[in-house]
């Protein structure tokens, strides 16, 4: 009996060691970090609006210049628990003012905190992983020019097993990938490739417009086909050229919608998309046109949510 107990303990210890080894939080390698030049805040502002940083990290319902006060506090209630967007202002105590450029790059591209812990993918680093490291450095340079705001935003409210961050190491092994979602050849127009970068990377459009599996991972085979809303009973629409999507919209219709908030049917943007559209309106026209060109090129998909919704 004693031998069996010792054998069981040995197996459990070995399993624990393997789990600990596989679930470590790995940051960028030294070569990738060395290739990043000092960030440029002017370029970083463009990345800031493309990424919609203020939509989650400004105080809820912030308007005007208050959108640049990145105090956090937005709560996202999901089936896994409630996630709270943190303070990412330059405050050195409660924000990210004490972070290095390396800390910021590891957070954005690998989902790893300065302390070496995993971030939850409610922070969409699964999309940001496709960003150019230089854009990340530029974004950090811009954020450092914004007002520091004191006060922590509050913690996530998660139950077991979702409160065990270490387990995210296994999730990342399966789902964290810096490769493009769609295979678009180098012979594709530059405008389409720029749009792909904006949509699949900093714009993280797929995080809301693509359905998810029970593990919370995006179903890439249904890319941009629409999805049940993360909160409530609504839906996030299909934005492919498929039936139920935006196939009847021209590229200029899409670009104009992103600029003005008006659809070809003279409806206006609403819900969470209103904040996204306000960010898109701050981009240069060529970026909105690039997004439109990419969306016209993606494979058509049927709606990725039940018809009864």
């Amino acid at each position: 009996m004693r031998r069996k107990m010792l054998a069981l303990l040995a197996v459990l210890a070995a399993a624990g060691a393997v789990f600990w080894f596989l679930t470590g939080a790995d940051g960028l390698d030294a070569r990738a970090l060395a290739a990043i030049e000092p960030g440029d805040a002017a370029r970083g502002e463009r990345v800031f609006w493309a990424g919609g940083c203020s939509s989650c990290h400004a105080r809820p319902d912030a308007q005007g210049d208050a959108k640049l006060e990145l105090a956090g506090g937005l709560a996202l209630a999901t089936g896994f628990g409630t996630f709270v967007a943190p303070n990412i202002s330059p405050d050195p105590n409660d924000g990210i003012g004490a972070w290095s450029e390396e800390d910021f790059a590891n957070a954005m591209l690998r989902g790893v905190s300065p302390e070496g812990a995993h971030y939850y993918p409610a922070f969409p680093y699964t999309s940001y992983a496709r960003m150019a490291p230089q854009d990340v450095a530029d974004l950090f340079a811009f954020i450092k020019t914004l007002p520091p705001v004191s006060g922590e935003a509050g913690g996530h409210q998660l139950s077991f097993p979702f409160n065990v961050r270490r387990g995210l190491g296994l999730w990342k092994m399966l789902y964290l990938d810096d490769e493009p979602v769609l295979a678009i050849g180098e012979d594709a127009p530059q405008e389409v490739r720029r749009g792909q970068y904006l949509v699949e990377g900093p714009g993280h459009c797929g995080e809301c417009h693509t359905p998810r599996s029970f593990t919370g991972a995006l179903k890439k085979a249904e890319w941009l086909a629409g999805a049940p809303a993360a909160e409530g009973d609504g839906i996030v629409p299909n934005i492919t050229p498929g039936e139920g999507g935006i196939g009847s919209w021209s590229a200029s219709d899409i670009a104009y919608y992103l600029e003005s908030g008006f659809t070809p049917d003279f409806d206006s943007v609403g819900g969470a998309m209103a904040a996204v559209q306000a960010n898109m309106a701050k981009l240069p026209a060529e970026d909105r046109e690039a997004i439109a060109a990419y969306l016209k090129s993606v494979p058509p998909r049927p709606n990725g949510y039940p018809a009864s919704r």
Side-chain angles (χ1 to χ4, degrees), residues 151-232:
E152 294 185 359
H156 305 317
Q157 300 166 30
L158 307 173
S159 57
F160 183 82
F162 306 119
N163 59 351
V164 182
R165 285 182 185 256
R166 189 84 186 188
L168 286 166
L170 296 178
W171 190 92
K172 286 181 176 180
M173 288 177 64
L174 295 172
Y175 304 120
L176 182 59
D177 185 1
D178 60 5
E179 292 297 315
V181 176
L182 298 182
I184 293 181
E186 293 188 1
D187 57 341
Q190 176 60 33
E191 184 179 51
V192 172
R193 286 189 282 138
R194 172 64 177 169
Q196 178 179 34
Y197 175 75
L198 290 169
V199 170
E200 296 186 8
H204 61 281
C205 307
E207 301 286 342
C208 288
H209 287 278
T210 301
R212 295 178 181 271
S213 69
F214 72 96
T215 63
L218 297 180
K219 297 180 179 179
K220 293 181 181 178
E222 299 178 58
W223 179 244
L224 302 181
E231 298 182 283

Side-chain angles (χ1 to χ4, degrees), residues 257-278:
Y257 172 74
L258 295 175
E259 178 185 10
S260 69
F262 290 103
T263 74
D265 300 324
F266 306 104
D267 197 0
S268 59
V269 64
M273 187 62 195
V276 176
Q277 183 275 318

Side-chain angles (χ1 to χ4, degrees), residues 15-179:
V18 170
F19 174 81
W20 194 259
F21 175 77
L22 292 176
T23 56
D26 298 323
L28 296 166
D29 60 40
R31 183 170 53 184
L33 290 167
I36 303 175
E37 298 179 358
D40 180 278
R43 293 196 306 258
E45 182 176 7
R46 185 174 180 175
V47 182
F48 179 86
W49 297 118
C53 307
S54 64
S55 297
C56 285
H57 292 284
R59 294 184 183 90
D61 301 318
Q63 300 295 325
D65 290 344
K67 289 184 177 181
L68 298 178
E69 298 175 1
L70 305 181
L74 179 71
L76 179 64
T78 75
F80 300 98
T82 298
F83 298 93
V84 179
N87 182 334
I88 61 164
S89 80
D91 185 87
N93 298 312
D94 300 320
I96 61 173
W99 286 22
S100 67
E101 194 171 81
E102 179 179 346
D103 291 335
F104 189 74
N106 278 323
M108 291 286 291
L109 301 175
R110 292 294 183 269
V112 175
S113 77
E115 296 75 32
H118 295 294
Y119 283 121
Y120 287 99
F123 167 38
Y125 55 78
T126 47
S127 289
Y128 296 154
R130 302 185 188 97
M131 290 178 64
Q134 190 58 53
D135 277 356
V136 173
D138 293 343
L139 173 61
F140 186 51
F142 176 71
I143 289 176
K144 288 193 292 185
T145 70
L146 301 180
V149 183
S150 61
E152 294 185 359
H156 305 317
Q157 300 166 30
L158 307 173
S159 57
F160 183 82
F162 306 119
N163 59 351
V164 182
R165 285 182 185 256
R166 189 84 186 188
L168 286 166
L170 296 178
W171 190 92
K172 286 181 176 180
M173 288 177 64
L174 295 172
Y175 304 120
L176 182 59
D177 185 1
D178 60 5
E179 292 297 315

